[in-house]
């Protein structure tokens, strides 16, 4: 008789604050009983487990790495415990899994294999920034990371500005050390009457979420270097 398949739980991680800000009874109970985790970063997964008050010895937990360096042929190997009847948790480095991280590829394979997938509630910097921006939440696009090369980044900004003008709110982000350059490029290449929300350190004690016109931002630019930032452009 074949073994029943396990369930894949999508477990949200913190955005830098303590897990007790969002942890539900279901989240804690699920993490407490799982012994196998697919993780983007082992250290942040261990920190989440400890913040949830789970004192299980770490040597009893099977952490399996999944990041941008994981070879494509290894993705199917991550499903082996599930196919053998074990429940598994998928944990992103920060925020909810499978949004702007490689976890979605494992979830796709899980669906193909008939494995049940259950997402758990947690913080998403994308939705939290959109909620707090005051910009159109009915129609929006998350553009992920902007191009690294400045000429390509400016080209992309001009494209998404046109969509923002049409009423489709545009969200984007970049590496923390490029935030100031990105802000400079937005101010220099987009209309000054457009509105930009800058959401930094979301959920943390030093959280800052402000929406202003680009003209207002130009007169007083914040220092965003090395901060986690979500940019929200609208009209």
């Amino acid at each position: 008789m074949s073994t029943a398949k396990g369930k894949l739980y999508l477990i949200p991680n913190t955005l830098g604050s303590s897990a007790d800000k969002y942890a539900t009874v279901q989240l804690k109970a699920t993490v407490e009983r799982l012994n196998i985790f697919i993780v983007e970063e082992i250290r942040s997964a261990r920190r989440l487990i400890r913040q949830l008050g789970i004192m299980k010895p770490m040597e009893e937990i099977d952490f399996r790495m999944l990041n941008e360096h994981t070879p494509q042929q290894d993705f199917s190997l991550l499903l082996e415990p599930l196919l053998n009847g074990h429940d598994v948790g998928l944990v992103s480095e920060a925020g909810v899994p499978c949004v702007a991280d490689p976890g979605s590829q494992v979830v796709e394979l899980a669906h193909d294999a008939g494995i049940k997938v259950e997402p758990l509630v947690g913080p998403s910097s994308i939705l939290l920034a959109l909620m707090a921006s005051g910009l159109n939440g009915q129609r929006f696009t998350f553009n992920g990371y902007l191009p690294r090369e400045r000429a390509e980044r400016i080209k992309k900004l001009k494209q998404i500005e046109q969509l923002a003008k049409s009423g489709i709110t545009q969200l984007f982000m970049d590496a923390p050390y490029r935030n100031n350059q990105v802000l400079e490029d937005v101010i220099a290449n987009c209309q000054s009457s457009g509105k930009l929300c800058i959401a930094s350190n979301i959920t943390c004690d030093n959280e800052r979420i402000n929406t202003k016109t680009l003209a207002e931002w130009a007169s007083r630019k914040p220092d965003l270097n090395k901060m986690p930032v979500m940019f929200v452009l609208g009209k």
Side-chain angles (χ1 to χ4, degrees):
M1 186 174 67
S2 61
T3 304
K5 296 171 183 174
K7 184 188 292 187
L8 179 62
Y9 291 90
L10 309 185
I11 298 170
N13 207 333
T14 71
L15 293 172
S17 62
S18 177
D20 59 12
K21 278 194 171 185
Y22 71 87
T24 63
V25 173
Q26 181 191 20
L27 174 64
K28 182 176 179 179
T30 300
V31 173
E32 192 162 26
R33 70 176 181 79
L34 294 178
N35 293 310
I36 306 172
F37 294 90
I38 299 170
V39 302
E40 190 175 4
E41 213 278 324
I42 292 177
R43 184 171 58 181
S44 64
R46 285 175 171 166
R47 183 169 61 246
L48 172 64
I49 292 170
R50 287 289 179 249
Q51 287 184 359
L52 290 173
I54 299 167
M55 303 312 295
K56 181 186 304 182
M58 290 297 168
E59 57 269 19
E60 294 181 4
I61 301 174
D62 181 2
F63 292 105
R64 302 184 174 214
M65 289 293 297
L66 169 65
N67 55 39
E68 69 270 20
H69 304 298
T70 302
Q72 189 68 39
Q73 62 267 25
D74 288 355
F75 277 59
S76 58
L77 298 176
L78 296 172
L79 297 184
E80 283 186 349
L82 291 152
L83 295 172
N84 290 326
H86 299 285
D87 291 343
V88 175
L90 174 62
V91 186
S92 180
E93 183 177 2
V96 296
C98 306
V99 180
D101 80 10
S104 57
Q105 297 179 65
V106 169
V107 173
E108 181 182 12
L109 291 172
H111 285 299
D112 291 343
I115 294 166
K116 187 173 181 179
V117 177
E118 183 171 332
L120 302 183
V121 175
S124 164
S125 58
I126 300 167
L127 290 180
L128 292 172
L130 180 63
M131 288 163 58
S133 70
L135 301 174
N136 186 6
Q138 297 293 327
R139 301 176 68 202
F140 61 91
T141 300
F142 174 57
N143 294 277
Y145 288 86
L146 294 183
R148 184 174 302 178
E149 296 298 324
R150 188 165 185 266
E152 289 299 311
R153 183 164 66 240
I154 291 172
K155 180 180 178 181
K156 179 66 174 179
L157 283 170
K158 290 181 177 180
Q159 291 173 349
I160 66 177
E161 183 193 20
Q162 293 305 310
L163 292 170
K165 286 179 180 178
S166 72
I168 306 173
T169 301
Q170 300 295 301
L171 296 97
F172 54 91
M173 60 193 295
D174 214 312
Y177 64 87
R178 281 199 297 268
N179 284 333
N180 286 339
Q181 297 169 267
V182 169
L183 180 58
E184 291 279 2
D185 288 340
V186 175
I187 290 172
N189 294 280
C190 298
Q191 286 189 357
S192 60
S193 59
K195 287 193 171 182
L196 177 70
C197 174
I198 300 176
S200 62
N201 297 306
I202 296 175
T203 75
C204 298
D205 292 339
N206 57 344
E207 174 185 270
R208 294 289 183 272
I209 302 176
N210 297 103
T211 299
K212 301 179 182 180
T213 65
L214 290 176
E216 290 171 323
W217 284 122
S219 66
R220 191 172 182 177
K221 293 189 287 289
D223 183 5
L224 304 173
N225 188 40
K226 296 184 179 179
M227 294 183 186
V229 173
M230 187 66 61
F231 296 95
V232 190
L233 186 65
K235 70 171 186 175

